[in-house]
Amino acid sequence: MKELETAIARYHAMKLKDILPPIDSLPVLCTDSSVINVLEILRTRHHVWVINCKEDGKLIGVIRYLDVINFIMPPEKHSTFIGTTRTVLMSIQGGAEIASEVMEKSAIKINHNKSVLDALEKMKNYNLQLLAVVDDENRLIGEISLRILINKFLDLCF
């Protein structure tokens, strides 16, 4: 049992930057990428990170698999009331053509210098299984998922 406690303590202290998967494995598009490009990635992935490619690669938002419902559904099928017109505008038939028009702007992120424990706490607080990992300039450098964290923990234990 002592070995497991030691492994957990080491695991919690690990820096995210030391366990990130390669950046080229991320599903990433630029803000001006077409909605069709978004759908092509979402065929096989559960999310797409949206970055500002023209300036500095900063993380701008995220499009999740379930968000597709909003932009392929006709505008008249959206329930609208005060404050909800954004989902209608996010529809392809409502005029959305590029990633920045269908993305969620409030992607939950964490700095690469934070620890595994910090990531777990943030995931728990926001009820998420995935966080964008950014550098000190808010540039997307990776992602951390619950699956990655589970695998890393098992690697330490066995």
Side-chain angles (χ1 to χ4, degrees):
M1 192 64 173
K2 185 71 173 160
E3 296 99 22
L4 187 57
E5 288 176 16
T6 302
I8 289 175
R10 278 187 302 147
Y11 171 71
H12 285 163
M14 293 174 80
K15 298 293 182 196
L16 295 178
K17 63 183 174 186
D18 297 329
I19 63 170
L20 292 178
I23 187 81
D24 59 357
S25 67
L26 295 183
V28 178
L29 286 174
C30 299
T31 54
D32 60 353
S33 297
S34 77
V35 172
I36 298 302
N37 292 133
V38 171
L39 291 172
E40 287 172 346
I41 290 178
L42 291 175
R43 278 181 172 177
T44 59
R45 299 296 296 257
H46 290 283
H47 64 284
V48 177
W49 301 112
V50 181
I51 63 170
N52 184 339
C53 295
K54 290 182 179 171
E55 293 178 25
D56 50 17
K58 285 187 179 177
L59 178 66
I60 304 297
V62 64
I63 304 167
R64 291 182 180 82
Y65 187 68
L66 287 175
D67 294 336
V68 172
I69 294 168
N70 287 332
F71 59 89
I72 61 176
M73 182 182 277
E76 67 272 8
K77 296 293 184 182
H78 288 268
S79 300
T80 57
F81 49 91
I82 296 173
T84 64
T85 56
R86 177 158 162 44
T87 56
V88 173
L89 297 174
M90 288 173 65
S91 159
I92 293 171
Q93 287 179 303
E97 296 179 354
I98 59 174
S100 62
E101 296 169 334
V102 297
M103 72 181 183
E104 178 59 48
K105 293 179 183 173
S106 58
I108 306 299
K109 57 194 169 202
I110 190 165
N111 186 280
H112 66 125
N113 288 312
K114 295 290 187 178
S115 69
V116 165
L117 183 57
D118 293 326
L120 289 167
E121 288 173 338
K122 193 166 239 187
M123 287 175 170
K124 182 171 174 53
N125 290 341
Y126 287 95
N127 195 27
L128 294 172
Q129 300 172 15
L130 178 72
L131 300 171
V133 180
V134 296
D135 64 12
D136 294 330
E137 285 78 42
N138 198 38
R139 288 186 300 255
L140 181 69
I141 61 164
E143 66 185 19
I144 197 75
S145 68
L146 191 53
R147 183 173 317 277
I148 292 167
L149 293 174
I150 289 168
N151 288 335
K152 190 52 71 177
F153 179 70
L154 289 174
D155 288 347
L156 284 175
C157 293
F158 300 104

